[in-house]
Amino acid sequence: MKILFFAGSLRTGSLNKKFALEAKRLVDAKSGYETEFLDLKDYPMPVYDQDIQDKGFPEAVIKLGEKIAGIDALVVSTPEYNGSIPSVLKNVIDWLSREKRVSIGDKPLLLISASMGALGGVRGLWQTRVPFEACGVHVFPTMMGLPAAHNAFDEKGELKEEKLKQQLQKLLDHFLKHIAK
Amino acid sequence: MKILFFAGSLRTGSLNKKFALEAKRLVDAKSGYETEFLDLKDYPMPVYDQDIQDKGFPEAVIKLGEKIAGIDALVVSTPEYNGSIPSVLKNVIDWLSREKRVSIGDKPLLLISASMGALGGVRGLWQTRVPFEACGVHVFPTMMGLPAAHNAFDEKGELKEEKLKQQLQKLLDHFLKHIAK
Amino acid sequence: MKILFFAGSLRTGSLNKKFALEAKRLVDAKSGYETEFLDLKDYPMPVYDQDIQDKGFPEAVIKLGEKIAGIDALVVSTPEYNGSIPSVLKNVIDWLSREKRVSIGDKPLLLISASMGALGGVRGLWQTRVPFEACGVHVFPTMMGLPAAHNAFDEKGELKEEKLKQQLQKLLDHFLKHIAK
Amino acid sequence: MKILFFAGSLRTGSLNKKFALEAKRLVDAKSGYETEFLDLKDYPMPVYDQDIQDKGFPEAVIKLGEKIAGIDALVVSTPEYNGSIPSVLKNVIDWLSREKRVSIGDKPLLLISASMGALGGVRGLWQTRVPFEACGVHVFPTMMGLPAAHNAFDEKGELKEEKLKQQLQKLLDHFLKHIAK
């Protein structure tokens, strides 16, 4: 079973890239999964504009769409921007939804979020579900917000607090068990 | 009283640009308002990336922020993309919210939507409220979705159906009366 | 496979009860499913109040909880009240979520909506997802709103328009295929 | 200017009743406001059912509607139940929206939330906005969640932590200044 991990953030050193990588590490420790981490910075796209689409889809849209088409499940760690989905992630969804050769519909998706605040980005996660679900993605009902994320990781990028690591592990186990059905 | 109109769409010939312009025309027919229509295509921005911000805000962000800072109220006509806010509009909000020299907080905003479908983009309007409200914008509770918008305008760009024109007029009157207080 | 159908409405002759029954009829026409329709009017509950809970759960809460615990999937047809979930349905969720002996978590749920308006209650469906998902329910991403529902059914309670019947059939097939996995 | 305070909870000793009362106390300390606290327990309503409405609105609906019709602004402190609006509050909205003799439209509303959890009920507040806004209520964009509310009040019912008291005071000042316009 192939699982793709990425973050809804472009910034070098993004806390959500770290959180996605930690989730990947926990899945790698189990057997039976082929995992891959992808950086959206390697898939540069302009802001969606139908005038651009009419001249041809940006190469990154097709590459990313093919990548997603080939996997069995997605884990996305996304920041909250203004109480909602970050523009980079919404932009990826808007482009992919127009490219009929690939489809993200019917894929299972686990959403998590890292944030410097106390709420862990949970509010934004609920808004982030909507466009994915509108595309037919099965967003796992349980999600996880990591608060105070700027202090959460050690130098290897692993979660320092055992309790939070176990929470993520438990959520991943629940998700993997569900998609195995 | 200065009112700014724009669309949450970049496409040349966008139905939402037409709908925003029709709203402007109806306000222009009243006295006491200074109105302006703005095309987001004239404010090109990359997808929000803190790495770019760290090198300096794009010029368009500052120009748009100053424009909004100088007005009293906003009317935005926005399409629905995947059940939610279009990426171009979310991107504008994300950039503006980081630029502390300008603020969209406390501004009154009327949201309307034009769509080729039967629902008129109403579903997306409810998701579009959230990031604006998270920034402190007073989004007017009543909104309007224009269904079958590709057949709604005549060659001058005016709404052909009198009933729909009156609905928009009534909504604008209600909004203008509210912000006059 | 056992599937339970009910409506988020109490009213005798409710359009959503009719829509739920039509969905049940379409599933009954397939083999391999055991179906049941339930009327929330037979499960009377006061508005949730912890003071009542502290004296003991209403009998209807336990009866409904046990019913749901025993089935494999849910189909709920719900009206939109004030852009959101109707109070009767929210009340059922609030009571059930407090009764730890039963759990609606991990159940697959298909949401549909009948409405006299043009939008078919679709806006409310998106708000209705949230409390179910917060309880761990797997709400199917695709949903269906039936507009002008007061004219939609014949005297047998079947959908008059073939196109709408096919849309519901296709959605049910997609849902059943998904939960069969 | 008359301001009405109540909680979206029925429970005796409810933390949200305490939070609403603390907000009232802070407004009472200012001059120029007539305030009133109301307990929804004194306005008992069955779960909304059109069959009941057809026989006549419950007395509590009319009494509450008249109370709200006579005030200038509302402050509601509401818990989060299952990530969303509590059924008691949704039920009040559903009943009031059907009683055409009274209207909650165009009233300004400040939403706050007390919760025993770490998130302070903020997630639920965003869902609670929707049905109020669908009724035409002007929900103030800024809201406040009080986390760990079971430890937040002293024996007089006042907020123990000065920082939280100041946050509430500042929010109330901002709201009152806005509605004074």
Side-chain angles (χ1 to χ4, degrees):
Chain A
M1 183 165 272
K2 283 189 200 174
I3 305 180
L4 184 66
F5 297 75
F6 66 87
S9 174
L10 293 173
R11 182 170 72 87
T12 312
S14 149
L15 296 167
N16 280 284
K17 290 184 190 173
K18 284 187 184 168
F19 200 28
L21 279 165
E22 175 70 335
K24 179 181 181 296
R25 207 157 18 231
L26 292 177
V27 175
D28 284 338
K30 303 166 77 91
S31 61
Y33 299 99
E34 195 180 320
T35 69
E36 179 175 351
F37 174 81
L38 165 162
D39 190 334
L40 286 183
K41 206 123 180 177
D42 299 328
Y43 296 79
M45 301 176 193
V47 174
Y48 178 79
D49 178 350
Q50 199 183 321
D51 289 343
I52 299 177
Q53 179 190 330
D54 289 346
K55 291 180 206 148
F57 279 92
E59 193 192 359
V61 175
I62 296 162
K63 267 177 60 191
L64 182 60
E66 286 170 349
K67 181 75 81 180
I68 292 174
I71 54 98
D72 298 298
L74 275 164
V75 177
V76 175
S77 182
T78 180
E80 169 185 308
Y81 285 177
N82 301 306
S84 180
I85 188 172
S87 30
V88 61
L89 193 53
K90 187 58 176 46
N91 196 45
V92 160
I93 296 173
D94 286 353
W95 273 113
L96 287 176
S97 69
R98 297 294 185 111
E99 172 48 272
K100 298 305 175 200
R101 283 166 290 180
V102 291
S103 168
I104 59 174
D106 279 333
K107 298 281 176 197
L109 163 66
L110 177 67
L111 284 178
I112 57 180
S113 178
S115 151
M116 296 203 288
L119 307 188
V122 164
R123 198 173 49 140
L125 287 178
W126 284 93
Q127 302 298 320
T128 300
R129 299 181 71 92
V130 175
F132 277 113
E133 292 176 327
C135 291
V137 172
H138 294 272
V139 186
F140 199 63
T142 313
M143 304 184 284
M144 176 179 172
L146 178 71
H150 50 307
N151 295 322
F153 301 99
D154 65 17
E155 66 282 359
K156 286 186 231 159
E158 294 182 29
L159 282 167
K160 286 188 281 191
E161 224 178 288
E162 194 54 35
K163 208 177 133 189
L164 290 168
K165 198 168 200 159
Q166 279 169 11
Q167 188 188 345
L168 179 58
Q169 179 76 68
K170 206 179 144 191
L171 177 58
L172 287 164
D173 289 349
H174 192 184
F175 176 63
L176 296 173
K177 195 181 151 194
H178 174 72
I179 61 175
K181 281 197 290 200
Chain B
M1 183 165 271
K2 284 188 201 173
I3 306 181
L4 184 66
F5 298 75
F6 65 86
S9 173
L10 294 173
R11 183 169 71 86
T12 311
S14 148
L15 296 168
N16 280 285
K17 291 184 190 171
K18 284 187 184 169
F19 200 28
L21 279 165
E22 174 70 335
K24 178 181 181 297
R25 209 160 14 231
L26 293 177
V27 174
D28 285 338
K30 302 164 79 89
S31 62
Y33 300 99
E34 196 180 319
T35 68
E36 179 175 352
F37 174 81
L38 167 161
D39 190 334
L40 286 183
K41 204 121 178 175
D42 298 328
Y43 296 80
M45 301 176 193
V47 174
Y48 178 79
D49 178 350
Q50 200 183 320
D51 289 344
I52 298 177
Q53 179 190 329
D54 289 347
K55 291 179 206 148
F57 279 91
E59 195 193 358
V61 176
I62 295 162
K63 267 177 60 192
L64 182 60
E66 286 170 349
K67 180 76 80 180
I68 292 175
I71 55 97
D72 298 298
L74 275 165
V75 177
V76 175
S77 182
T78 180
E80 168 186 309
Y81 284 177
N82 300 308
S84 180
I85 189 172
S87 31
V88 63
L89 193 54
K90 187 58 176 44
N91 196 45
V92 161
I93 297 172
D94 286 354
W95 273 112
L96 287 175
S97 69
R98 297 297 184 110
E99 171 49 272
K100 298 304 174 200
R101 284 165 289 180
V102 292
S103 168
I104 58 173
D106 279 332
K107 299 280 177 201
L109 164 65
L110 177 66
L111 284 179
I112 56 180
S113 177
S115 150
M116 295 204 287
L119 306 187
V122 164
R123 198 174 49 140
L125 287 177
W126 283 93
Q127 303 298 319
T128 300
R129 299 182 72 92
V130 175
F132 277 112
E133 293 176 327
C135 292
V137 172
H138 293 274
V139 186
F140 199 64
T142 313
M143 305 185 285
M144 177 181 171
L146 178 71
H150 50 307
N151 295 322
F153 301 99
D154 65 17
E155 68 281 1
K156 288 186 230 157
E158 295 182 31
L159 282 168
K160 288 188 280 190
E161 224 179 291
E162 195 55 32
K163 208 178 133 190
L164 289 168
K165 198 167 199 159
Q166 279 169 13
Q167 188 188 345
L168 180 58
Q169 179 77 68
K170 204 178 144 192
L171 177 59
L172 287 164
D173 288 348
H174 192 184
F175 176 63
L176 295 173
K177 196 181 151 195
H178 175 73
I179 62 176
K181 281 194 291 198
Chain C
M1 185 166 273
K2 284 187 200 176
I3 305 180
L4 185 65
F5 297 75
F6 66 87
S9 174
L10 293 173
R11 182 169 73 86
T12 311
S14 149
L15 295 167
N16 280 284
K17 290 184 191 172
K18 283 187 187 168
F19 201 27
L21 279 165
E22 175 69 336
K24 179 182 180 298
R25 211 160 12 234
L26 293 177
V27 175
D28 284 339
K30 302 167 77 90
S31 61
Y33 300 99
E34 195 180 323
T35 69
E36 180 176 350
F37 174 80
L38 166 163
D39 190 334
L40 286 182
K41 205 123 179 175
D42 299 327
Y43 296 78
M45 301 176 192
V47 174
Y48 179 79
D49 178 351
Q50 200 183 323
D51 290 344
I52 299 176
Q53 180 190 330
D54 289 347
K55 291 180 205 146
F57 278 92
E59 195 193 356
V61 176
I62 295 162
K63 267 176 60 192
L64 182 60
E66 285 170 349
K67 181 76 80 178
I68 293 174
I71 54 97
D72 298 299
L74 274 164
V75 177
V76 175
S77 181
T78 180
E80 168 185 307
Y81 285 178
N82 300 307
S84 179
I85 188 172
S87 29
V88 62
L89 193 54
K90 188 58 175 46
N91 195 46
V92 160
I93 297 173
D94 287 353
W95 273 113
L96 287 176
S97 69
R98 297 296 184 109
E99 171 50 271
K100 297 303 174 201
R101 283 166 290 179
V102 291
S103 168
I104 59 173
D106 278 333
K107 298 280 176 199
L109 164 65
L110 177 67
L111 283 178
I112 57 181
S113 177
S115 151
M116 296 203 287
L119 307 188
V122 163
R123 196 174 49 140
L125 287 178
W126 284 93
Q127 303 298 319
T128 300
R129 299 181 71 93
V130 175
F132 277 113
E133 292 175 328
C135 291
V137 172
H138 294 273
V139 186
F140 199 64
T142 313
M143 304 185 285
M144 175 180 172
L146 178 71
H150 49 308
N151 295 322
F153 301 99
D154 64 18
E155 66 283 0
K156 287 187 230 157
E158 294 182 31
L159 282 167
K160 287 189 281 192
E161 224 178 289
E162 195 55 33
K163 208 177 136 191
L164 291 168
K165 198 168 198 157
Q166 278 169 11
Q167 189 188 345
L168 179 58
Q169 179 77 66
K170 204 178 144 193
L171 177 58
L172 287 164
D173 288 349
H174 192 185
F175 176 63
L176 295 173
K177 195 181 151 194
H178 174 72
I179 62 175
K181 280 195 287 200
Chain D
M1 184 163 273
K2 284 189 200 174
I3 305 180
L4 184 66
F5 297 75
F6 66 85
S9 174
L10 294 173
R11 183 170 72 86
T12 312
S14 147
L15 296 167
N16 280 285
K17 291 184 190 172
K18 285 188 184 168
F19 200 28
L21 279 165
E22 175 70 335
K24 179 182 180 298
R25 212 162 10 235
L26 293 177
V27 175
D28 285 339
K30 303 167 78 89
S31 61
Y33 299 99
E34 195 181 320
T35 68
E36 178 176 352
F37 175 80
L38 167 162
D39 190 334
L40 287 183
K41 204 122 178 178
D42 299 327
Y43 295 79
M45 300 176 193
V47 174
Y48 178 78
D49 178 350
Q50 199 183 322
D51 289 344
I52 299 177
Q53 179 189 330
D54 289 346
K55 291 179 204 148
F57 278 92
E59 195 194 357
V61 176
I62 295 162
K63 269 176 60 191
L64 182 60
E66 286 169 350
K67 180 77 81 181
I68 292 174
I71 54 98
D72 299 298
L74 275 164
V75 177
V76 175
S77 182
T78 181
E80 169 186 306
Y81 284 178
N82 299 310
S84 180
I85 189 172
S87 30
V88 63
L89 193 54
K90 187 58 176 41
N91 196 45
V92 160
I93 297 172
D94 287 353
W95 274 113
L96 288 175
S97 69
R98 298 294 185 112
E99 172 47 273
K100 297 303 174 200
R101 283 166 290 179
V102 292
S103 168
I104 59 175
D106 278 334
K107 298 281 176 198
L109 163 65
L110 177 66
L111 283 179
I112 57 180
S113 177
S115 151
M116 296 203 287
L119 307 188
V122 163
R123 197 174 49 140
L125 287 177
W126 284 93
Q127 302 299 319
T128 300
R129 300 182 71 93
V130 175
F132 277 112
E133 292 175 327
C135 292
V137 172
H138 294 273
V139 186
F140 199 64
T142 313
M143 305 185 285
M144 176 181 172
L146 178 70
H150 50 306
N151 295 322
F153 301 99
D154 65 18
E155 66 283 358
K156 288 187 231 159
E158 293 181 31
L159 281 168
K160 287 189 282 192
E161 223 178 290
E162 195 54 35
K163 207 177 136 192
L164 290 169
K165 199 168 199 157
Q166 280 169 10
Q167 188 188 344
L168 179 58
Q169 179 77 68
K170 205 178 145 195
L171 177 58
L172 287 164
D173 288 349
H174 192 185
F175 176 63
L176 295 173
K177 195 181 152 197
H178 174 73
I179 62 175
K181 282 197 286 199

